[in-house]
Amino acid sequence: MFRTALRNVLAHKARLLMTVLAVMLGVAFVSGTLVFTNTISDALQKQSAKGFDHVDVAVTPEWKDAKGDEVGESQELTRALVDDSARVPGAERAVGVVTGFTAMADKDGKLIGGGFQSQGGNYWGTEDPRYPLVEGHAPKGAGEVLIDSRTAERTGYEVGDTVRLSIDGPVLEPVVSGIFTTDDGNVAAGGSLTLFDTATAQKLFGKEGTFDEIAVKAKDGVSETALQAQLEKALPSDVVETTTGQKLADDQAEAIASSMSGLKQGLLVFAGIALFVGTFIIANTFTMLVAQRTKELALMRAVGASRRQVTRSVLIEAFVVGAVAAVAGLVAGVGIGVGLRSLMGTLDATVPDGPLVISPGTIGTAFAVGILVTMLAAWLPGRRAAKIPPVAAMGSVHAQATTRSLVLRNTLGALFSAAGVAVVLAATTMDGSDGQAPMGLGAVLLIIGVFILTPLLSRPLIAAAAPVLRLFGVSGKLARQNSVRNPRRTAATASALMIGLTLITGMTVMAGSLQKSIDKMAAAAIEADYVVSMANGNGLSPDVERRLKEAGDVTATSPMRNAPSRIDGETEFLTGVDGSTIGGLTELKVEDGAFEVGGARVVVDRDTAESYGWKAGSDFTVAYEDGEKQELTVAGVYEANEMIRGIMVDTATLAPHTAEPADMLVLVKTSDGASDAVKDRLEKALGTNPAIKVQDKQDLSNEIAKMFTLILNMVYGLLAMAVIVAVLGVINTLAMSVFERSQEIGMLRAIGLDRKGVKRMVRLESLVISLFGGVLGIGLGVFFGWAAGQLLGTRMATYELVLPWGRMAVFLLLAAAVGVLAALWPARRAARLNMLQAIKAE
């Protein structure tokens, strides 16, 4: 039986090629994802580990938890603690570390590193071993700064050049006093690192006289744990915490692995979709191959082969096909991994250099996926063939499905579909996070149910195309009959395309609806012409609002300032606003009381009010971060949205209790409204600062939508893999269908159907099957997009369903194009059949 199975594989090389390709694409995606993420993760981990070479033990401030009316706060690391750390017997040196966001502009005035990767710090003394100088000297005073060598190389800055920097808004223009090298992971990933002298760094980052961390280096022969023990004895335990450099490196490696796991899981989901689609093709292929060898298998049964042996022979074929596909997929996956890494470079998301990582786990996964998927898909056709009685099989080439089996299949499909619809509809009534898992389960059940019912659905839907097919004469009539001749095969072929279009349509419906909702939210919540904020989301200096007020066009401004407080033993963040202007800069629906902010009167969003049992007129006591208490009155309760929520307090009331005020954003109203000219004047008033964003309502909407558009484009690209696999499935089905109908096609040619007619027949058959899958996919996609939108609507009051009719028409045309392209080779092969040889064929 083993030799027979191998012979059959070699006898059907051309027919199995499409199956190998389908499996190979899925395996390539899986292995490529693993190679790519493992390579990037390994490079980042090694790079980050280098960053701890100069730290054997890190001393950090102890966090004081919030209790009663006290707001949680961090202890302070003073210069005295640095000196005490340096005097520990096992310490070679101790360095006080200060860090913070520092936006740096390139020579064109654009922000380097996208904001979050732009960091600043302090250079310790005249020679800091953490940052070896390659040129220039240590910074002296606020007028000098050091930049890293990668940034210098990317931007062209040299020693003596003036650079534009910003910490929290105001522009600084120090001179580059030197260039240093660093193993900092953010720099390796495309960011920048800027170093000031220690006193300047402490002043700029609001840490005057204190440090964020103390990095201690051990003497030769002293272990990290020994040094840690000495430091814990020498330093006050209620003020500091100690962590070894190895523990920091391990934690960093774990954080990197965790951050990469999200990307890995996302890519593997799409690889799974491609494999799931490929499963239909594999099952379809083996079903047709087994059907073509029904007499052969029956003869084997008649001469003594058991059912198990027949099934085993089919599984051996699947094993060989899966193994070949796994090897090819692994090789292609390595190429995909290399390509993705190169793509990161072209997108300016550079990563550290490092070797390509092809782990044993990746190799094992590639073979397991390729072989198991193929064998599982081939098991049912092999089992079905083994059940056919030898005498019945010898008398009939095709074993027809029994009425009982069709009734069972349709009943099972109806149950799955009904259960899926019920679970999805139930999930739409739940709260956002609670409904995610049930909706996912319902979606899977519904897709499985529709797949099972597809043979039943194929007849009426394909029959609906009959009037159009009649326009093509005999070829059209034959194409319709061929499409419904074997409903199971048609269903398996169409389902592959259906799944891809379901996901694409669902994502498109959600993206369009979210865009509309975001536009409504920005228009409904904000009356201000502009919103000013930092590029990385950090707080703005109050000096920014003062500069905006001085601009000629500005008529009103209000900051939105976050400050921690304690209310009824719970930490609650207050939002400081200008009470005299905030009402005219926002448009929030007041549900109770009046929108009045000033003195002890505040406004509260509905959710916060309900959690504390407040209503208009309620009084409550707040404990500010400085420990002072005050009784406040709820003047009004408003309906929050994704942009504005919380307890709004007048900044005049809040400011005396805030040590380091920072505005998360500033709302601005101008006399001339929003225009490019006004925006340009505001940016100039702020010193043309690359770290500050001046955005109107459309800019805000576009920025949020940009994220969804990027995700949507990634999804389109990833799902293209599933569509390619679906195309292979259509080609495979048509090619084998042509082979099965060789005698029939020969007879049609003999009685007068020309080659053009044969080609037209095969193409129309392919077109009908593809459009059938497209209609099902778009229909399911719209349903899932609507359901997911209902779930989002529980958290986004402005959510509104938008059906992208234009894009859905494009998707239907895409399905038609798949059908036309997939039929090119099978149609040509059918037309070139020798009619006499075809008539003689069995």
Side-chain angles (χ1 to χ4, degrees):
M1 294 302 294
F2 182 73
R3 287 197 300 270
T4 302
L6 290 180
R7 186 202 67 194
N8 286 325
V9 171
L10 296 175
H12 302 107
K13 292 188 290 289
R15 297 178 218 166
L16 289 169
L17 178 61
M18 296 300 176
T19 304
V20 171
L21 285 173
V23 182
M24 185 199 77
L25 284 171
V27 172
F29 209 161
V30 172
S31 55
T33 295
L34 295 175
V35 169
F36 170 65
T37 53
N38 288 343
T39 298
I40 299 300
S41 181
D42 180 72
L44 287 173
Q45 287 176 17
K46 288 180 178 176
Q47 189 76 21
S48 66
K50 290 180 181 178
F52 297 108
D53 286 348
H54 298 286
V55 182
D56 287 323
V57 177
V59 179
T60 53
E62 177 82 17
W63 175 258
K64 182 182 177 183
D65 292 329
K67 292 180 181 179
D69 293 331
E70 294 182 357
V71 177
E73 62 179 355
S74 176
Q75 300 292 339
E76 292 185 342
L77 298 181
T78 62
R79 181 60 189 254
L81 288 173
V82 177
D83 294 339
D84 290 343
S85 300
R87 285 193 290 267
V88 167
E92 179 180 320
R93 64 173 179 272
V95 174
V97 179
V98 183
T99 59
F101 169 71
T102 304
M104 180 178 176
D106 60 20
K107 290 188 174 181
D108 295 325
K110 295 180 180 179
L111 181 63
I112 298 171
F116 72 95
Q117 294 172 329
S118 300
Q119 294 294 315
N122 68 309
Y123 190 83
W124 188 256
T126 57
E127 188 176 344
D128 193 331
R130 298 174 299 163
Y131 307 113
L133 287 175
V134 294
E135 189 177 352
H137 60 81
K140 300 173 184 176
E144 293 186 343
V145 71
L146 295 177
I147 63 174
D148 66 90
S149 57
R150 289 178 186 249
T151 298
E153 184 179 346
R154 284 194 296 262
T155 60
Y157 282 128
E158 298 177 350
V159 173
D161 288 346
T162 299
V163 295
R164 293 173 62 80
L165 304 172
S166 176
I167 305 299
D168 56 2
V171 176
L172 308 173
E173 294 187 334
V175 173
V176 177
S177 67
I179 297 172
F180 63 92
T181 59
T182 178
D183 293 321
D184 187 277
N186 282 327
V187 173
S192 62
L193 179 60
T194 312
L195 300 179
F196 306 89
D197 68 79
T198 299
T200 301
Q202 288 176 322
K203 182 178 180 180
L204 290 174
F205 298 133
K207 307 284 176 58
E208 292 193 59
T210 65
F211 301 90
D212 295 303
E213 179 184 303
I214 301 172
V216 187
K217 182 70 176 175
K219 292 180 179 178
D220 292 339
V222 178
S223 68
E224 290 184 351
T225 53
L227 177 60
Q228 182 183 28
Q230 292 176 2
L231 287 167
E232 287 177 347
K233 289 181 181 179
L235 304 178
S237 60
D238 60 337
V239 177
V240 302
E241 292 180 344
T242 59
T243 311
T244 64
Q246 184 60 52
K247 180 67 165 55
L248 290 173
D250 292 342
D251 290 345
Q252 183 79 0
E254 186 177 338
I256 291 169
S258 177
S259 65
M260 293 299 295
S261 68
L263 175 63
K264 182 186 293 186
Q265 289 172 6
L267 292 173
L268 287 176
V269 165
F270 290 100
I273 292 169
L275 283 168
F276 186 55
V277 173
T279 302
F280 295 128
I281 299 171
I282 299 163
N284 217 13
T285 302
F286 276 92
T287 298
M288 288 184 282
L289 288 175
V290 169
Q292 292 169 13
R293 289 164 31 214
T294 304
K295 285 188 176 181
E296 176 188 329
L297 294 174
L299 182 60
M300 293 172 64
R301 290 286 312 282
V303 297
S306 65
R307 287 185 178 183
R308 286 186 178 180
Q309 286 179 310
V310 170
T311 304
R312 198 179 301 138
S313 70
V314 176
L315 291 178
I316 290 171
E317 290 182 50
F319 176 84
V320 174
V321 171
V324 172
V327 172
L330 179 60
V331 173
V334 173
I336 289 174
V338 173
L340 286 173
R341 181 171 177 173
S342 300
L343 181 63
M344 294 279 284
T346 62
L347 296 175
D348 294 329
T350 54
V351 294
D353 295 330
L356 198 66
V357 178
I358 307 173
S359 66
T362 300
I363 298 172
T365 301
F367 276 92
V369 167
I371 293 172
L372 287 177
V373 167
T374 310
M375 292 183 70
L376 285 173
W379 175 75
L380 189 60
R383 187 169 176 269
R384 190 183 298 136
K387 284 186 173 182
I388 301 173
V391 175
M394 287 182 182
S396 175
V397 174
H398 301 290
Q400 299 296 324
T402 63
T403 303
R404 180 184 174 187
S405 70
L406 291 175
V407 170
L408 180 62
R409 177 178 181 131
N410 293 337
T411 303
L412 193 62
L415 290 174
F416 267 96
S417 299
V421 170
V423 173
V424 169
L425 291 178
T428 60
T429 64
M430 300 179 184
D431 188 48
S433 56
D434 296 334
Q436 290 177 2
M439 184 164 290
L441 174 63
V444 171
L445 290 174
L446 181 54
I447 288 177
I448 292 173
V450 171
F451 169 66
I452 296 173
L453 284 176
T454 308
L456 179 66
L457 298 173
S458 64
R459 289 186 178 277
L461 288 177
I462 291 176
V468 177
L469 292 175
R470 287 196 194 101
L471 299 175
F472 296 93
V474 175
S475 297
K477 184 178 180 180
L478 291 171
R480 185 184 68 80
Q481 292 175 346
N482 290 334
S483 300
V484 297
R485 176 184 294 183
N486 192 330
R488 286 182 173 176
R489 182 189 304 167
T490 299
T493 305
S495 295
L497 192 58
M498 176 192 78
I499 292 170
L501 285 179
T502 294
L503 294 168
I504 291 174
T505 305
M507 290 295 297
T508 303
V509 170
M510 285 186 62
S513 301
L514 281 170
Q515 176 66 66
K516 181 73 173 179
S517 305
I518 292 163
D519 288 343
K520 286 178 62 179
M521 183 170 61
I526 297 176
E527 281 294 305
D529 295 317
Y530 291 98
V531 175
V532 179
S533 60
M534 289 291 281
N536 70 329
N538 278 7
L540 289 162
S541 166
D543 184 55
V544 171
E545 188 193 7
R546 286 195 290 270
R547 291 194 181 191
L548 288 168
K549 284 182 177 179
E550 295 169 1
D553 298 315
V554 175
T555 58
T557 66
S558 174
M560 297 197 77
R561 179 178 302 169
N562 281 357
S565 70
R566 297 284 287 179
I567 300 174
D568 293 345
E570 299 290 332
T571 298
E572 196 73 52
F573 279 86
L574 306 176
T575 302
V577 298
D578 187 329
S580 63
T581 61
I582 189 65
L585 294 170
T586 57
E587 186 64 37
L588 298 169
K589 181 181 177 182
V590 180
E591 299 183 343
D592 184 21
F595 196 90
E596 181 183 339
V597 182
R601 296 178 67 78
V602 303
V603 292
V604 185
D605 70 274
R606 181 180 58 201
D607 292 342
T608 303
E610 288 178 353
S611 67
Y612 286 102
W614 297 338
K615 59 183 180 180
S618 296
D619 295 324
F620 63 94
T621 302
V622 61
Y624 297 109
E625 60 180 310
D626 65 351
E628 293 291 325
K629 296 181 181 179
Q630 183 178 4
E631 188 173 275
L632 302 177
T633 301
V634 177
V637 178
Y638 66 92
E639 183 180 324
N641 56 51
E642 295 300 311
M643 299 182 70
I644 300 176
R645 61 177 61 246
I647 304 172
M648 293 190 194
V649 185
D650 196 301
T651 49
T653 302
L654 188 62
H657 308 289
T658 308
E660 298 174 4
D663 302 331
M664 298 313 295
L665 54 88
V666 178
L667 302 176
V668 181
K669 190 83 171 175
T670 62
S671 56
D672 296 333
S675 68
D676 291 340
V678 173
K679 182 177 180 179
D680 185 59
R681 286 197 290 272
L682 291 178
E683 289 176 342
K684 286 181 178 177
L686 296 172
T688 316
N689 193 324
I692 297 180
K693 297 184 295 186
V694 179
Q695 299 172 295
D696 59 22
K697 285 185 278 192
Q698 190 58 51
D699 291 333
L700 283 172
S701 179
N702 291 342
E703 182 179 53
I704 301 172
K706 188 186 297 183
M707 177 179 65
F708 294 114
T709 303
L710 176 63
I711 293 172
L712 188 63
N713 289 336
M714 287 179 62
V715 170
Y716 283 162
L718 294 169
L719 289 177
M721 183 75 73
V723 175
I724 291 171
V725 175
V727 172
L728 293 175
V730 178
I731 296 173
N732 213 13
T733 299
L734 291 174
M736 293 195 172
S737 179
V738 167
F739 179 83
E740 282 184 356
R741 304 200 312 261
S742 295
Q743 190 178 54
E744 176 188 317
I745 293 171
M747 290 295 295
L748 290 171
R749 290 288 315 282
I751 61 176
L753 188 65
D754 60 10
R755 289 186 173 182
K756 286 185 178 180
V758 172
K759 283 185 179 180
R760 191 180 301 119
M761 176 186 71
V762 176
R763 287 172 183 164
L764 289 173
E765 180 183 348
S766 174
L767 185 62
V768 167
I769 293 173
S770 297
L771 285 174
F772 169 53
V775 169
L776 285 180
I778 292 172
L780 283 173
V782 169
F783 176 69
F784 290 140
W786 166 82
Q790 293 296 109
L791 210 57
L792 282 172
T794 62
R795 295 196 167 189
M796 187 178 287
T798 57
Y799 186 84
E800 177 184 338
L801 179 67
V802 176
L803 294 180
W805 296 106
R807 290 204 177 189
M808 288 193 293
V810 170
F811 296 155
L812 199 58
L813 289 175
L814 173 65
V818 166
V820 172
L821 292 173
L824 291 178
W825 177 64
R828 187 174 175 217
R829 182 182 178 191
R832 295 179 66 180
L833 283 175
N834 184 296
M835 68 178 74
L836 295 178
Q837 291 180 355
I839 291 171
K840 290 190 296 181
E842 293 188 3

